[in-house]
C-alpha cells in the first residue's frame, strides 16, 4: 500500500522552503502591511469627506 504523502515527489526541498520563506517575509508581509494601512487611511479619508473632520 502506498503512503498518502510520497516523500520524494511532494516534499519541498530546503532551497524551496528558503525561497518561500524569503518571499513571504521580504515581499508579501510588507506589501500586505502597506495595503492594510493604506486601505484604512483611505476609509478614514472617505468617511471624513462625508462627515467632516473631527470636532467640526
Amino acid at each position: 500500500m502506498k503512503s498518502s504523502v510520497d516523500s520524494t515527489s511532494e516534499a519541498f526541498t530546503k532551497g524551496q522552503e528558503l525561497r518561500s520563506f524569503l518571499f513571504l517575509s521580504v515581499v508579501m508581509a510588507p506589501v500586505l502591511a502597506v495595503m492594510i494601512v493604506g486601505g484604512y487611511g483611505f476609509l478614514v479619508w472617505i468617511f471624513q469627506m462625508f462627515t467632516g473632520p473631527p470636532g467640526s
Side-chain angles (χ1 to χ4, degrees):
M1 183 172 204
K2 193 173 184 179
S3 68
S4 62
V5 176
D6 187 3
S7 63
T8 59
S9 65
E10 294 184 17
F12 290 109
T13 64
K14 287 188 179 189
Q16 290 172 322
E17 288 184 9
L18 179 62
R19 279 194 304 269
S20 296
F21 172 74
L22 289 175
F23 175 74
L24 290 172
S25 61
V26 174
V27 176
M28 288 307 295
V31 167
L32 285 174
V34 167
M35 287 176 61
I36 290 168
V37 172
Y40 178 73
F42 181 76
L43 289 175
V44 169
W45 178 61
I46 293 295
F47 177 74
Q48 288 184 358
M49 283 179 57
F50 293 109
T51 62
S56 64

